[in-house]
Amino acid sequence: MTTQNPNKPCACASYSFEVLLTNDGGGSVWQLNSTGCTATTQSTFAPGHDAKLKSLLTRAEDGGHPVRRADGSTVVVKDAARVAADLGWGSPGR
């Protein structure tokens, strides 16, 4: 009998970036941007979720926002182009 490894969270779920939004009243709030992924998979990405991450990285790069990657209790912050390069991609979305 063959056993299958348990599914793990999709890699795209661990990436996010925040944007500081201001309103006319002078107040500010941080807006979290993430893939919203809750999928699990045997692979690194659930089907099509590499594209979800590329889209997130493109938005971050276009806005000049650093990207966070949370891995348990460790959080790493890098620019979007560096994250894409680390994943073996060119500039995100290009």
Side-chain angles (χ1 to χ4, degrees), residues 13-69:
S14 62
Y15 292 89
S16 64
F17 68 93
E18 287 184 319
V19 178
L20 183 62
L21 303 175
T22 57
N23 61 32
D24 292 339
S28 298
V29 64
W30 287 98
Q31 179 185 48
L32 179 66
N33 292 265
S34 70
T35 61
C37 178
T38 59
T40 59
T41 181
Q42 291 286 309
S43 302
T44 302
F45 296 102
H49 287 224
D50 55 336
K52 283 181 107 171
L53 181 55
K54 286 179 184 179
S55 176
L56 178 86
L57 295 176
T58 298
R59 292 192 325 267
E61 183 178 50
D62 289 349
H65 307 294
V67 175
R68 290 189 314 230
R69 179 175 185 269

